[in-house]
Amino acid sequence: TTALLLPSLPDTRKFVENLSGAGKSIAVLTSGGDAQGMNGAVRAVVRMGIYVGAKVYFIHEGYQGMVDGGDNIKEATWESVSSMLQVGGTVIGSARCKEFRTHEGRLKAAHNLVQRGITNLCVIGGDGSLTGANLFKEEWSGLLNELLEQGLIDEEAVRRNSVLHIVGMVGSIDNDFCGTDMTIGTDSALHRIIEVVDAIMTTAQSHQRTFVLEVMGRHCGYLALVSALACGADWVFFPEMPPEDGWEDNMCQKLSENRSRGSRLNIIIVAEGAIDSQGQHISSDFVKNLVVGRLGLDTRVTILGHVQRGGTPSAFDRILASRMGVEAVVALLEASADTPACVVSLVGNEAVRLPLMECVQITQEVQKAMDEKNFDEAVRLRGRLIHVCFYLQSSFNVAVLNVGAPAAGMNAAVRSAVRVGITEGHKMFAVNDGFEGFHKGQIKEIKWGDVGGWTGQGGSLLGTKRTLPGKHLDKIAEQMRIHNINALLVIGGFEAYMGLLELSSARDKYSEFCVPMVMIPATVSNNIPGSDLSIGSDTALNAITDTCDRIKQSASGTKRRVFIIETMGGYCGYLATVGGLAAGADAVYIFEEPFDIRDLQTNVEHLTHKMKTSIQRGLVLRNENCNENFTTDFIYQLYSEEGRGVFDCRKNILGHMQQGGAPSPFDRNFGTKVAAKAIQWITRMLKESYKGGIVFANSEESVCLLGMRRRAMVFQPLAQLQGETDFVHRIPKDQWWLKLRPVMKILAKYKIDYDVSESGQLEHVTQVRPKESDFSACI
């Protein structure tokens, strides 16, 4: 079947068929330290390369395999990357290669590539591996001339292989490469860390212990900082932001205060490269001995080590790797003789191409700044640490509530909102059970200590209901008047969106609603207009991906089998589509892409043909509301009948398990950051609308949704989003992830049109300097 393209795309779109790979050879290698998700990138490069008609080669054991040649360089087939997506590490191997650092080693490598006609190289590794690739490209012409002089190749070979194209993807759990928001493997490493922290917190609470956890990050503190945010740690040490002199007293005082509030545990995160302001190493053992000596607390050290590199890749890393792999092949096809080596990066929610050496140069400048003890510059160059702007003013009353179905990460957002709000001088109020609890008066002040330990808990600790406020506007207005509520922060799904629209439309009748109101999308369905991502959807995707992995593994050793799996999402096909991309689905049925019995038949025949080869597992996902007649039972029976004699079928309805469980590191971090940003917006709006002793805000801009749009987090008036909304089906009219449908189908071996009209062009690295008024702070 052919993918339905977005109707909004212009007729001038170009398709990847115009960038034919016929006659070209692409090689893919992984180098340096391994990272979960590398296999997903390799798989995407191989299948996209084969899709465009190119020959694709594995280079086993990284640059060492390129130098040694022989069986280390093998042609890849479609089937050779099957069952690779869910495997951690790198199946094709990685190795440190001293020989490639020498001219003689690179000469051998060039000879091995020329013998196979390989002039397109996809390198998955860290900055060292990518720098080596760039040097190889710069020397390429000279290496070919040397091989010609030595009689190892002829002039025709020099002519055919005159230009070497390089595209890199960064595989590093440390997230230490400038130019990209996330590197392949970082999210999975955070999963491993948070799994350990969650387990440790239960035993620490039982025995009233303090735990010092050492995480990887010799030169980069990303893992330490984000894991500290994600678990609500008491203190964190990382190299880019050393603690000020006297930190020992400050830390011990903070730990004592937390214990005096009733906390039974303390968590301290230490990056392996943590240093003080003098550049002296801060070890986990030093921190432990300090706590024991000063406070006498029962303290233990846990060093996570290579556990962080292991395990299956997260859904985020599988999707990131798949998107980057496809973009890398397109970049290789579009490269000209003078195109510099580039790296495929993630900025916000977009894949972009950046000059490799620009990124490497800035990455190296970070280390230079740290060596010179210029830590402010190091933080600026990293670009990912938190810059918080504080506005100090009179106290305002801000209410926080959850609305709609529960979503993992809601509690992290509430915790962040409460603590940032208190820091900015506000009095924070918690509303239990959404708008239903609001009109019943279930409102109370919530303080700093009340949200301790909330970050890692799933569901909604405030309680959440789907009730809309329309029938109770008078009582809600009364409660806002009684508690003098000056601003609202609503965290939830489509009901939250509808609820704020109802409140804002009633401002003419109820002046109590003339206050700043902001919504943060939190729903597993990811169906809120104005935001590419919602809190909770990443956790749901991980639940789907993990379950699909287990279901496929359950059939190991049996005959060929196809699994039909139903996901949640209402009329929104996000979970089914992106979950299918992460799990390696063969077909995904969604409401947004109508299908009929002919499409179903084509899918069955396509899968049957694949199952007659070495493929033994098939996976079909169906969104719960994709079609009222083609139910999960119908599709299961159709596949069972049509596949008779080739494969058998099983069906699973995942149900509400997609809403449950502890939030993923992404959702904890995302919820923490967006809630902090929302409170800053509320503070600014309160400052602007406070006149004559009262808060009065009735403009469109005072009722906003905070969402990720492409590369940035933006505040958008809800009134302006109404035109983008399909209210009948509770979905946005234009959904960015539909562009992933062709990618998913290509990786499932469908020959379809793939639109590259919006494909990334080579850009330059942009650095945003914080304003002088910004205050760098670690929450």
Side-chain angles (χ1 to χ4, degrees):
T1 184
T2 57
L4 294 181
L5 296 165
L6 286 176
S8 59
L9 289 176
D11 292 336
T12 55
R13 59 182 178 251
K14 60 178 179 177
F15 299 102
V16 80
E17 279 76 4
N18 299 327
L19 302 169
S20 173
K24 297 182 180 181
S25 294
I26 300 171
V28 58
L29 65 92
T30 54
S31 177
D34 65 307
Q36 310 97 316
M38 280 183 164
N39 290 323
V42 170
R43 171 180 177 268
V45 169
V46 169
R47 293 194 166 176
M48 188 64 179
I50 292 173
Y51 163 80
V52 298
K55 277 189 176 182
V56 186
Y57 290 87
F58 291 136
I59 299 180
H60 293 272
E61 312 308 333
Y63 287 117
Q64 189 66 56
M66 192 190 299
V67 171
D68 293 342
D71 289 339
N72 288 303
I73 305 177
K74 294 180 179 178
E75 186 173 353
T77 65
W78 191 277
E79 289 77 14
S80 62
V81 292
S82 294
S83 302
M84 182 187 279
L85 190 59
Q86 66 268 29
V87 179
T90 167
V91 169
I92 61 175
S94 181
R96 312 282 182 184
C97 181
K98 293 182 179 179
E99 196 173 356
F100 188 77
R101 298 177 184 175
T102 67
H103 183 78
E104 293 75 15
R106 294 191 290 276
L107 189 65
K108 289 181 184 178
H111 187 213
N112 288 325
L113 295 187
V114 170
Q115 284 181 314
R116 295 164 178 82
I118 298 171
T119 56
N120 297 280
L121 198 58
C122 186
V123 180
I124 307 166
D127 62 332
S129 303
L130 298 178
T131 303
N134 187 70
L135 177 61
F136 193 40
K137 175 180 172 63
E138 291 177 346
E139 292 183 346
W140 184 254
S141 295
L143 294 172
L144 293 188
N145 290 332
E146 282 189 54
L147 293 172
L148 178 64
E149 291 172 4
Q150 295 175 16
L152 295 174
I153 61 174
D154 57 26
E155 291 186 0
E156 176 60 21
V158 174
R159 187 190 63 78
R160 287 196 315 268
N161 301 280
S162 59
V163 180
L164 178 67
H165 301 298
I166 300 283
V167 173
M169 289 180 275
V170 189
S172 167
I173 69 167
D174 291 331
N175 206 24
D176 56 355
F177 192 81
C178 294
T180 184
D181 288 350
M182 288 287 275
T183 58
I184 296 170
T186 302
D187 187 70
S188 300
L190 286 170
H191 272 258
R192 301 293 91 77
I193 295 169
I194 296 306
E195 286 167 5
V196 172
V197 173
D198 285 351
I200 279 175
M201 289 179 76
T202 57
T203 184
Q205 195 151 18
S206 299
H207 296 275
Q208 298 191 59
R209 284 182 177 144
T210 296
F211 268 89
V212 181
L213 279 84
E214 181 179 305
V215 301
M216 284 186 168
R218 193 170 301 159
H219 304 293
C220 180
Y222 185 86
L223 288 179
L225 176 58
V226 176
S227 59
L229 284 171
C231 72
D234 298 278
W235 205 267
V236 59
F237 298 92
F238 56 98
E240 292 92 340
M241 196 179 284
E244 296 178 356
D245 293 341
W247 64 266
E248 297 91 343
D249 295 333
N250 293 334
M251 184 187 75
C252 290
Q253 180 181 353
K254 164 89 174 187
L255 298 179
S256 296
E257 287 175 355
N258 285 352
R259 287 296 176 103
S260 66
R261 291 193 190 107
S263 174
R264 293 177 57 86
L265 77 157
N266 298 112
I267 298 291
I268 302 169
I269 307 288
V270 182
E272 60 179 330
I275 54 175
D276 62 20
S277 58
Q278 308 306 314
Q280 298 299 308
H281 181 228
I282 299 176
S283 69
S284 50
D285 282 332
F286 179 83
V287 174
K288 172 199 169 183
N289 293 334
L290 177 68
V291 174
V292 172
R294 294 273 188 99
L295 303 177
L297 298 176
D298 185 2
T299 307
R300 307 296 169 92
V301 171
T302 298
I303 300 175
L304 270 64
H306 282 73
V307 166
Q308 295 157 91
R309 290 194 186 276
T312 186
S314 67
F316 184 96
D317 273 329
R318 299 185 198 196
I319 297 160
L320 177 65
S322 297
R323 292 176 68 182
M324 283 187 169
V326 169
E327 181 69 18
V329 172
V330 176
L332 287 171
L333 295 179
E334 291 183 336
S336 61
D338 57 353
T339 301
C342 76
V343 61
V344 179
S345 300
L346 181 75
V347 178
N349 191 36
E350 276 196 277
V352 300
R353 303 176 201 169
L354 302 173
L356 191 156
M357 291 314 296
E358 283 189 20
C359 298
V360 170
Q361 182 181 358
I362 296 174
T363 302
Q364 292 172 346
E365 286 178 9
V366 174
Q367 190 57 48
K368 181 182 177 183
M370 291 175 63
D371 292 340
E372 296 172 351
K373 298 184 174 59
N374 187 354
F375 298 111
D376 288 341
E377 178 68 1
V379 168
R380 185 190 70 79
L381 290 168
R382 281 286 185 225
R384 284 185 295 266
L385 298 178
I386 300 172
H387 295 278
V388 181
C389 189
F390 292 101
Y391 301 86
L392 301 177
Q393 76 298 307
S394 303
S395 173
F396 291 105
N397 294 349
V398 179
V400 182
L401 64 156
N402 295 155
V403 177
M410 278 181 163
N411 297 322
V414 172
R415 170 187 175 270
S416 175
V418 168
R419 292 192 169 180
V420 173
I422 291 172
T423 301
E424 296 196 357
H426 304 311
K427 184 180 287 187
M428 303 301 294
F429 286 82
V431 180
N432 297 116
D433 296 335
F435 288 119
E436 185 173 317
F438 210 146
H439 83 81
K440 293 179 179 178
Q442 296 173 207
I443 307 168
K444 62 178 181 180
E445 185 180 354
I446 186 166
K447 298 185 177 180
W448 187 282
D450 296 334
V451 292
W454 280 34
T455 308
Q457 297 195 49
S460 168
L461 293 173
L462 286 184
T464 182
K465 300 280 188 181
R466 296 179 182 270
T467 307
L468 293 175
K471 296 180 180 179
H472 309 286
L473 292 174
D474 54 341
K475 293 183 179 179
I476 291 175
E478 181 184 356
Q479 291 298 327
M480 290 187 70
R481 186 168 58 253
I482 291 171
H483 294 91
N484 190 28
I485 301 300
N486 305 123
L488 281 182
L489 172 59
V490 181
I491 304 165
F494 207 85
E495 289 83 3
Y497 175 67
M498 293 286 292
L500 278 190
L501 285 175
E502 291 183 0
L503 292 183
S504 61
S505 64
R507 280 176 159 180
D508 291 342
K509 186 175 181 181
Y510 302 98
S511 61
E512 291 84 358
F513 300 149
C514 294
V515 297
M517 296 186 279
V518 62
M519 173 190 169
I520 297 174
T523 168
V524 300
S525 300
N526 198 30
N527 63 330
I528 307 302
S531 187
D532 290 353
L533 299 172
S534 300
I535 296 170
S537 60
D538 183 73
T539 304
L541 282 174
N542 278 286
I544 292 168
T545 305
D546 292 345
T547 305
C548 288
D549 286 351
R550 295 182 185 186
I551 287 172
K552 288 195 291 186
Q553 191 181 50
S554 71
S556 179
T558 66
K559 61 181 181 179
R560 288 175 172 80
R561 181 163 289 168
V562 172
F563 294 95
I564 315 296
I565 297 176
E566 181 185 302
T567 66
M568 294 180 76
Y571 287 97
C572 181
Y574 175 82
L575 286 181
T577 295
V578 183
L581 181 60
D586 297 277
V588 175
Y589 301 109
I590 62 171
F591 169 77
E592 293 90 342
E593 190 173 285
F595 58 96
D596 57 27
I597 193 65
R598 290 178 294 276
D599 296 315
L600 288 168
Q601 185 63 30
T602 301
N603 294 152
V604 173
E605 291 172 356
H606 181 268
L607 188 52
T608 302
H609 178 73
K610 281 205 298 185
M611 298 289 277
K612 287 179 179 178
T613 65
S614 60
I615 306 296
Q616 293 192 319
R617 303 285 167 268
L619 184 64
V620 176
L621 269 60
R622 178 189 178 274
N623 169 247
E624 59 184 347
N625 287 347
C626 66
N627 189 294
E628 61 180 346
N629 295 313
F630 299 139
T631 63
T632 301
D633 283 334
F634 178 89
I635 293 174
Y636 162 70
Q637 290 168 8
L638 176 67
Y639 274 76
S640 297
E641 179 62 30
E642 296 298 316
R644 192 184 302 276
V646 180
F647 58 80
D648 65 2
C649 285
R650 296 290 186 274
K651 66 176 177 178
N652 294 84
I653 297 175
L654 301 185
H656 283 76
M657 56 84 62
Q658 295 159 87
Q659 283 185 336
S664 68
F666 180 92
D667 279 329
R668 300 183 194 201
N669 185 32
F670 190 48
T672 299
K673 291 192 293 187
V674 296
K677 195 173 183 71
I679 291 295
Q680 291 166 22
W681 178 87
I682 283 175
T683 301
R684 186 174 70 252
M685 293 298 296
L686 286 170
K687 187 177 181 181
E688 293 174 359
S689 58
Y690 183 67
K691 295 175 183 177
I694 62 170
V695 173
F696 185 83
N698 67 344
S699 66
E700 283 188 356
E701 290 72 23
S702 63
V703 184
C704 276
L705 179 143
L706 172 57
M708 176 179 283
R709 296 297 288 261
R710 299 173 72 92
R711 302 188 186 188
M713 295 296 301
V714 292
F715 291 92
Q716 303 144 97
L718 258 64
Q720 297 177 16
L721 293 176
Q722 292 187 70
E724 302 178 19
T725 309
D726 176 353
F727 286 97
V728 174
H729 298 104
R730 298 159 58 94
I731 56 175
K733 291 179 180 178
D734 185 16
Q735 305 194 75
W736 69 270
W737 52 265
L738 285 171
K739 298 171 187 176
L740 298 180
R741 299 277 299 174
V743 173
M744 182 195 67
K745 293 186 179 185
I746 288 169
L747 298 180
K749 211 175 183 178
Y750 284 94
K751 199 69 178 176
I752 62 157
D753 289 338
Y754 180 62
D755 174 39
V756 292
S757 58
E758 294 188 3
S759 185
Q761 302 301 312
L762 194 63
E763 304 179 15
H764 290 289
V765 181
T766 57
Q767 300 179 56
V768 179
R769 291 182 177 271
K771 298 176 183 177
E772 291 183 6
S773 61
D774 282 358
F775 174 74
S776 296
C778 170
I779 296 179

